[in-house]
Amino acid sequence: MTARIPEAPGLRDLGLANWLVCKVVAARQRVPRAHLFTTLGQHKRLMWSWLPFGGVLMRGGKLSTRDTELVILRVGHLRESQYELQHHRRMARAAGLDDATQDLIFEGPGAAGLDDRQRTMLTAIDELVGTRTLSDGTWAALAEHLDRPRLIEFVMLASQYDALAATLSALRVPLDFDE
């Protein structure tokens, strides 16, 4: 599929600040181009609004890195977002979610080998992505594992990555890795 937004914009398309951010992100990810950033960077104000929001949800929030990656992997799997999965499988490994655990996450809440917290979180993600809300029972189960700020963050994180998956798909953002 062809990208709907030019995938390799230059300095003129991005502006100096966005161009520099794209170069730094690509170098940190060890890819020639960070396509998500070169795409969003073409809407200068939007990128600078999204970066801090996404950053807080991904690494600056109250959920542990393991919990964050569990959420992102499950949403990426449910939305068949290869872009999200390419990046976050690597990040999840670094956070201690090995390939076997990731396979359980992809299998879903019924997978043998998950603990109660993981099972509850996967159930909530599936419900939230599928229905755009959480039932009272699912909310109560999730509240047994997460305090109020983490409950809010959980819903925002899952929703943000669901929206990001839709953006990646609709704009046909190319993958960053050749795998």
Side-chain angles (χ1 to χ4, degrees):
M1 277 190 289
T2 302
R4 289 185 165 149
I5 304 295
E7 65 178 275
L11 181 61
R12 180 177 299 152
D13 298 314
L14 294 170
L16 181 60
N18 287 2
W19 183 81
L20 287 170
V21 166
C22 292
K23 292 295 182 187
V24 168
V25 170
R28 289 188 74 191
Q29 294 176 351
R30 296 184 177 112
V31 294
R33 285 183 200 84
H35 291 107
L36 170 61
F37 292 87
T38 60
T39 299
L40 296 183
Q42 293 177 65
H43 187 307
K44 294 168 186 74
R45 238 176 114 202
L46 180 63
M47 182 165 141
W48 284 101
S49 298
W50 173 75
L51 277 174
F53 176 69
V56 166
L57 286 173
M58 196 170 80
R59 291 293 178 264
K62 296 188 175 289
L63 289 171
S64 71
T65 303
R66 287 174 60 95
D67 285 348
T68 297
E69 291 303 329
L70 177 143
V71 171
I72 295 168
L73 287 176
R74 186 64 181 167
V75 171
H77 172 74
L78 292 172
R79 290 295 180 215
E80 299 177 0
S81 178
Q82 292 308 307
Y83 192 101
E84 287 179 350
L85 292 173
Q86 269 196 339
H87 285 274
H88 287 280
R89 287 195 64 129
R90 289 170 169 79
M91 295 166 82
R93 277 187 215 103
L97 297 173
D98 61 18
D99 289 342
T101 304
Q102 290 184 33
D103 288 343
L104 296 176
I105 292 167
F106 300 144
E107 189 176 332
L114 295 170
D115 63 30
D116 187 54
R117 179 185 177 92
Q118 292 168 325
R119 189 177 317 287
T120 300
M121 291 177 75
L122 292 176
T123 298
I125 295 161
D126 288 7
E127 191 172 313
L128 185 59
V129 169
T131 68
R132 301 289 190 249
T133 193
L134 294 171
S135 67
D136 290 341
T138 300
W139 181 261
L142 194 58
E144 291 179 20
H145 299 281
L146 304 175
D147 63 10
R148 189 176 302 160
R150 285 174 180 82
L151 286 164
I152 295 166
E153 187 175 323
F154 176 90
V155 171
M156 291 295 295
L157 177 67
S159 299
Q160 146 68 10
Y161 273 85
D162 189 19
L164 186 57
T167 300
L168 290 161
S169 176
L171 298 180
R172 297 182 183 160
V173 175
L175 298 176
D176 290 340
F177 300 96
D178 293 330
E179 51 189 51

